[in-house]
Amino acid sequence: MVGRIPVMDVTPVVDLGRQPAKATLDEPFPVTASVFREGHDKLGAEVVLTDPAGVRRPPVRMTLDPDVPDRWTAWVTPDREGPWTFEVHAWSDPVATWQHAADIKIPADIDTELMFMEGRLLLERVLAAVPATDRATRDLVGSALKATTDTSRPVAARLAVLQSPELRAALVDHPLRDLVTVEGPYAAYADRRRALYGSWYEFFPRSEGATLDPLTGTVTTGTFQTAAKRLDAVADMGFDVVYLPPIHPIGEVNRKGPNNTLTPGPDDVGSPWAIGSKDGGHDAVHPDLGTIDDFDAFVARAGELGIEVALDLALQAAPDHPWVTTNPEWFTTRADGTIAYAENPPKKYQDIYPINFDNDPTGIYAEVLRVVCHWLKHGVRIFRVDNPHTKPLAFWERLLAEVRRIDPGVLFLSEAFTRPAMMHGLGAIGYHQSYTYFTWRTGKQELGDYLLELSHESSHLMRPNLFVNTPDILHAYLQYGGPAAFKVRATVAALGAPSWGVYAGFELFEHVAVKPGSEEYLDSEKYQIRIRDWAAADEQGRTLAPYITKLNALRRAHPALQLLRNVTVHRTDDDAILCFSKTAHIPGAGDDIVIVVVNLDPHATRETMVHLDLAALGLDPHEAFVVHDELTDQTWNWTEHNYVRLDPSVEPAHILTVRSPR
């Protein structure tokens, strides 16, 4: 039933409270509620957290939204990993009610001594609750008590004591709570920091270190050993996670050739997502890549460089996967007796059999859990899951809950480019991160709106990972935008969200599609080995690696860029210039403020006025302040309104850090 003080529409609440809201170690998140009552008496509200050990933390006061009636907010921060709960406590605030009446009545000489008497009774209650060790507060309240009864002093002087900022601050810190109503508890789960913040780099091990014999045209595949040599460059660019597409044996039946053709040659390597052959299934490594010991060495080398390895988890099978023989009931049999292959019309994937999760859900669950635990034993604690939206949510809910029980630090990234309800549903039932629509958001309005949606509207459900490209997605913006377009996309992704990702070749400006109107790469690495001359690109300056390194260095240096729920989009007068900012309060060091102004037009110089929301930045609207451009090393004095001109052939963006008032 509704409490004495109604508390309604509490957020964040996921799936009617059945699932925990997303939280991260040391990441502030907002708790909001509608709190109101009959009449005109004043209210108070606060949030009380209970940590994973069951310890109730000190309450955090909520503040009333100045723009939304009866809407209260408090920001709370979990400081331990694990399951938390929060409650909203609301109460009638007799002190604030009295203060409001006294401020009006006493100066008007209405019930003056009665008002002082009522104030005395309230202050006596406050004083009784102040600890004896808090001498400063006790003395302050004691002096106020004397003022309520000292009729020898002028009324105005007595009232001035009761209106002093010091006393009012003390009364806020020591409230009287009448008619307390408790709403909750509601659940939130605080994951480790990598669930929120990280820079991802994707590469195919078989391409790294691969060689081409110029005389015979024979390609020798890369291996875990040769791919490990690429890790140093990945670490130098500042990446935290290296994501590997499937490393398992690749099916030989219906194998795809170059550019997804159906006529492979004897030396064609096939798609890594067509998992399984006579050499094994999801718990095996492709023999061309090496042995499981070689994989362990790869993971160990990554760890030495501060990089985590994310492994692809693709729940599907090639026609010659061992599962097809041992468990044919896990697949869908068509009317003609054949097993159905995967389709996404007009695309056909004859080399892949999707799993039918309704035929033997218990057996499939047990096998997938076994596979995941197998890779946990080999040092993998992050999984990028291929097309999870084509599998039942109930399956994922059960699997992810059990993996969390086994090791709470294991993370799952959802590769679900699908309807928002499904994307949010996957996040709600346990996925830690999600791919997003970012690759298709290229305009100013849609990008600004999407950054706000991800950071504020859906952050309790899913954490975004803004990949600028994938082996499947080469957007037209990159195909035709030139090097400036690559800078623009990297800037917005790296600075707009705490997690972002790059698929290898992005830094080399790879931009040629298989055909006009397609988002598929020409000579896609999904179907063949791609040999890249990284050294030559570095020597000739044909690489975006230094710029990416700069972005990742800024992300590590600025706590504001490591958070999600702190994006503000600012107004500009040009339809191609986007401005957004991120802020964070650093205890003992003030505020960390980063302002990003980016020209989304990779072909033309644009100029505009930028209109900053200084209140959102926590800056005084009457004072100028110093901004430093981290790209050009220039410094300017800025105010609320600022002129900007950006030439994409020079630098398409300003990345500004606020240093101090002028």
Side-chain angles (χ1 to χ4, degrees):
M1 297 178 64
V2 175
R4 179 62 184 84
I5 306 297
V7 180
M8 297 183 171
D9 299 326
V10 176
T11 71
V13 177
V14 176
D15 191 23
L16 303 178
R18 290 188 287 260
Q19 303 288 349
K22 289 282 187 288
T24 312
L25 176 67
D26 294 332
E27 176 206 17
F29 70 90
V31 176
T32 70
S34 294
V35 183
F36 54 95
R37 67 169 299 174
E38 80 292 346
H40 302 288
D41 286 2
K42 300 298 181 181
L43 301 172
E46 60 197 10
V47 176
V48 177
L49 291 174
T50 299
D51 70 20
V55 177
R56 292 171 70 85
R57 298 300 183 87
V60 178
R61 288 294 289 269
M62 304 181 82
T63 58
L64 187 60
D65 190 314
D67 300 318
V68 182
D70 301 319
R71 197 66 183 167
W72 296 70
T73 302
W75 286 80
V76 295
T77 305
D79 56 12
R80 292 181 59 179
E81 295 176 21
W84 291 70
T85 62
F86 64 89
E87 299 171 339
V88 175
H89 294 198
W91 66 87
S92 178
D93 189 338
V95 171
T97 301
W98 176 85
Q99 288 172 328
H100 176 73
D103 290 347
I104 296 172
K105 287 186 172 183
I106 293 177
D109 196 21
I110 300 173
D111 298 334
T112 299
E113 290 306 320
L114 178 59
M115 293 304 302
F116 279 127
M117 182 183 300
E118 291 175 347
R120 173 178 61 81
L121 295 174
L122 292 172
L123 291 173
E124 287 175 347
R125 289 178 59 191
V126 172
L127 187 62
V130 176
T133 54
D134 189 352
R135 295 306 310 171
T137 300
R138 293 187 65 84
D139 290 345
L140 191 62
V141 176
S143 297
L145 270 171
K146 291 179 182 179
T148 63
T149 59
D150 188 358
T151 57
S152 66
R153 300 173 65 185
V155 168
R158 296 163 67 192
L159 180 60
V161 173
L162 299 175
Q163 291 177 327
S164 73
E166 295 80 10
L167 177 65
R168 296 210 165 185
L171 294 177
V172 169
D173 291 339
H174 300 274
L176 295 180
R177 300 175 177 88
D178 290 346
L179 308 177
V180 175
T181 296
V182 177
E183 180 64 28
Y186 297 101
Y189 195 95
D191 292 298
R192 64 185 179 105
R193 290 286 294 174
R194 185 62 69 230
L196 173 71
Y197 163 70
S199 302
W200 289 52
Y201 188 87
E202 175 182 1
F203 70 63
F204 288 73
R206 69 187 186 185
S207 290
E208 300 305 328
T211 58
L212 172 66
D213 187 321
L215 297 178
T216 64
T218 301
V219 174
T220 301
T221 182
T223 66
F224 289 129
Q225 292 183 3
T226 61
K229 298 177 182 178
R230 178 65 182 157
L231 290 173
D232 290 87
V234 174
D236 288 343
M237 284 188 285
F239 288 100
D240 309 295
V241 178
V242 60
Y243 153 51
L244 306 181
I247 59 172
H248 317 297
I250 296 173
E252 299 174 8
V253 177
N254 297 338
R255 176 173 287 191
K256 292 297 185 72
N259 294 309
N260 199 24
T261 61
L262 298 175
T263 55
D267 298 324
D268 285 327
V269 291
S271 167
W273 282 274
I275 298 171
S277 74
K278 64 181 184 302
D279 296 312
H282 284 69
D283 55 356
V285 297
H286 198 297
D288 288 352
L289 295 176
T291 66
I292 191 64
D293 291 337
D294 294 328
F295 176 76
D296 291 343
F298 179 91
V299 173
R301 178 55 183 158
E304 292 170 358
L305 296 170
I307 296 174
E308 291 193 64
V309 174
L311 199 60
D312 198 287
L313 182 63
L315 299 187
Q316 58 210 29
D320 41 337
H321 191 295
W323 288 345
V324 177
T325 300
T326 61
N327 297 90
E329 71 277 9
W330 290 357
F331 306 94
T332 298
T333 302
R334 305 189 70 177
D336 63 358
T338 62
I339 294 178
Y341 58 76
E343 294 184 78
N344 184 13
K347 295 181 179 180
K348 294 184 177 182
Y349 304 94
Q350 296 91 336
D351 55 340
I352 293 173
Y353 287 168
I355 295 173
N356 187 326
F357 284 79
D358 293 320
N359 287 351
D360 179 17
T362 300
I364 294 169
Y365 166 80
E367 173 64 0
V368 175
L369 179 61
R370 184 192 69 81
V371 168
V372 170
C373 290
H374 168 79
W375 292 110
L376 295 183
K377 295 174 183 177
H378 290 277
V380 176
R381 298 183 77 216
I382 304 178
F383 295 90
R384 178 269 196 191
V385 180
D386 190 69
N387 289 329
H389 57 291
T390 61
K391 290 81 179 173
L393 251 62
F395 166 81
W396 291 123
E397 181 179 22
R398 182 183 180 189
L399 179 73
L400 270 58
E402 178 60 15
V403 174
R404 173 173 278 176
R405 188 194 65 78
I406 295 169
D407 182 349
V410 177
L411 308 178
F412 290 84
L413 166 64
S414 164
E415 188 248 4
F417 298 110
T418 185
R419 302 180 304 279
M422 176 60 82
M423 295 173 70
H424 294 167
L426 288 163
I429 55 87
Y431 272 89
H432 302 82
Q433 290 187 6
S434 176
Y435 283 75
T436 70
Y437 304 135
F438 172 76
T439 47
W440 297 282
R441 300 290 191 265
T442 59
K444 170 189 171 181
Q445 187 66 45
E446 61 183 357
L447 263 177
D449 290 346
Y450 199 46
L451 289 178
L452 292 177
E453 176 188 328
L454 294 174
S455 59
H456 298 290
E457 297 176 22
S458 60
S459 58
H460 64 299
L461 291 168
M462 59 173 252
R463 302 183 186 94
N465 193 325
L466 304 186
F467 265 77
V468 291
N469 66 329
T470 77
D472 292 299
I473 306 171
L474 173 64
H475 193 274
Y477 186 88
L478 296 178
Q479 294 178 35
Y480 304 109
F486 286 74
K487 274 192 173 184
V488 168
R489 296 302 288 175
T491 300
V492 178
L495 307 183
S499 287
W500 78 301
V502 169
Y503 158 52
F506 180 87
E507 65 269 49
L508 300 185
F509 310 108
E510 292 179 358
H511 65 281
V512 181
V514 67
K515 61 182 178 181
S518 173
E519 291 184 344
E520 289 275 355
Y521 283 87
L522 177 65
D523 300 329
S524 171
E525 202 169 359
K526 292 186 297 181
Y527 307 107
Q528 61 195 84
I529 292 171
R530 174 166 292 190
I531 299 173
R532 299 179 175 94
D533 193 338
W534 301 109
D538 290 340
E539 292 173 3
Q540 298 167 16
R542 296 183 291 100
T543 175
L544 197 61
Y547 191 82
I548 292 173
T549 303
K550 180 68 173 178
L551 292 176
N552 282 333
L554 288 170
R555 287 164 50 81
R556 290 184 175 180
H558 290 277
L561 300 176
Q562 301 171 20
L563 301 176
L564 173 60
R565 297 169 164 106
N566 60 343
V567 173
T568 299
V569 175
H570 303 269
R571 186 166 59 89
T572 71
D573 296 337
D574 187 275
D575 61 6
I577 293 186
L578 172 70
C579 178
F580 64 91
S581 65
K582 305 193 79 175
T583 63
H585 180 70
I586 314 303
D591 291 334
D592 179 37
I593 305 173
V594 180
I595 302 170
V596 181
V597 188
V598 57
N599 178 5
L600 303 175
D601 183 348
H603 304 292
T605 299
R606 296 283 188 135
E607 51 189 293
T608 189
M609 292 297 294
V610 173
H611 310 281
L612 297 177
D613 182 347
L614 295 183
L617 296 174
L619 296 174
D620 189 331
H622 305 294
E623 291 188 14
F625 52 94
V626 176
V627 296
H628 179 75
D629 192 331
E630 299 292 341
L631 296 178
T632 65
D633 206 30
Q634 293 176 286
T635 299
W636 301 287
N637 293 316
W638 270 32
T639 59
E640 182 179 1
H641 308 289
N642 310 277
Y643 170 77
V644 167
R645 183 178 188 273
L646 289 168
D647 181 349
S649 67
V650 180
E651 286 295 353
H654 290 318
I655 303 174
L656 307 174
T657 52
V658 177
R659 292 198 165 179
S660 66
R662 183 167 61 183

